[in-house]
Amino acid sequence: MIYGFNMGGCGPEFSGRRGSRRWGPFEFSWEAGPDMVGARMRRRVFDGGELRLVLLKLIADAPRHGYDLIREIEEMTKGAYAPSPGVVYPTLTLLGDMGLIAEQQSEGAKKQYAATDDGRAHLAERAEEVASLMARLAELGEDRARTDSESIRRAMNNLRHVLMHKQHFGDMTTDKLHAIVALIDEAAQKIERLG
């Protein structure tokens, strides 16, 4: 049995057991079988040329190792996005081949890269695009921070609804009430200790 997937008229229909297609800025993937029909959509953060500019900008700001670049992007986006080593390291090789970065002397076995004069000139020529890309990273971080605070509100509302339901429809004895209060106090103390 083959299942189809259509994004409600906003793109081509995809049929088959498993696959993925790019459409505009989105990548669609689907998997279907007798026990499961599913589809998910994820937004690509950068194309290859954009990621090259982001990495070059970060290296121009301060010499960095490949892992430092991954960690820096992850921190900027509050964990919403971190490019994989399988994308970052070949991109660094390409930037080196283009003469935009050069390997620097560093302690340990890790390669550290610095921007060349050509690399800085390249960034200056594309300053507007670079600023837009860095703003996109900052926006991802802001979206993640907003989402995280929404998760807290959702959890608090969930607790409130459970308590109201227990109070109005449960057989609330004094022992149960004390047990609930103790659980809430314990959770509050654990949260406070998180710092």
Side-chain angles (χ1 to χ4, degrees):
M1 185 175 226
I2 294 179
Y3 300 92
F5 171 63
N6 189 313
M7 283 299 294
C10 70
E13 184 169 320
F14 306 121
S15 296
R17 293 227 176 254
R18 169 180 286 194
S20 71
R21 293 262 171 94
R22 293 188 195 282
W23 183 71
F26 297 98
E27 180 177 299
F28 299 91
S29 58
W30 65 94
E31 185 172 337
D35 300 329
M36 182 180 89
V37 178
R40 62 184 185 275
M41 177 178 71
R42 65 178 186 264
R43 180 146 171 80
R44 293 185 315 166
V45 177
F46 297 120
D47 67 24
E50 292 173 334
L51 182 61
R52 276 196 307 271
L53 281 175
V54 168
L55 295 178
L56 181 57
K57 165 72 170 122
L58 293 173
I59 291 168
D61 289 347
R64 299 176 196 264
H65 304 288
Y67 179 72
D68 294 336
L69 292 162
I70 295 168
R71 195 175 56 217
E72 178 68 22
I73 291 171
E74 189 172 17
E75 285 175 12
M76 290 174 74
T77 63
K78 312 260 191 294
Y81 171 67
S84 72
V87 172
V88 169
Y89 288 102
T91 303
L92 292 174
T93 301
L94 179 61
L95 286 168
D97 292 345
M98 294 169 70
L100 303 178
I101 63 172
E103 200 175 318
Q104 256 193 350
Q105 219 32 334
S106 67
E107 295 178 16
K110 290 183 184 176
K111 293 181 183 177
Q112 182 168 292
Y113 301 94
T116 62
D117 290 339
D118 286 348
R120 292 180 191 286
H122 185 71
L123 286 173
E125 289 167 8
R126 302 182 76 177
E128 217 171 283
E129 185 179 356
V130 171
S132 172
L133 294 171
M134 301 313 282
R136 191 185 309 170
L137 285 175
E139 186 179 324
L140 277 174
E142 290 165 9
D143 286 348
R144 171 56 68 97
R146 249 193 320 276
T147 302
D148 288 348
S149 63
E150 287 172 9
S151 297
I152 290 172
R153 282 196 297 277
R154 182 203 49 77
M156 288 172 50
N157 280 331
N158 191 21
L159 176 61
R160 184 173 60 85
H161 287 296
V162 167
L163 291 173
M164 288 173 59
H165 186 270
K166 281 280 186 198
Q167 194 173 16
H168 292 298
F169 300 109
D171 56 337
M172 185 62 74
T173 64
T174 304
D175 288 341
K176 284 183 183 176
L177 180 64
H178 289 297
I180 289 170
V181 169
L183 285 171
I184 294 170
D185 286 342
E186 180 185 350
Q189 289 169 1
K190 286 182 177 178
I191 292 167
E192 189 175 27
R193 283 195 294 268
L194 290 174

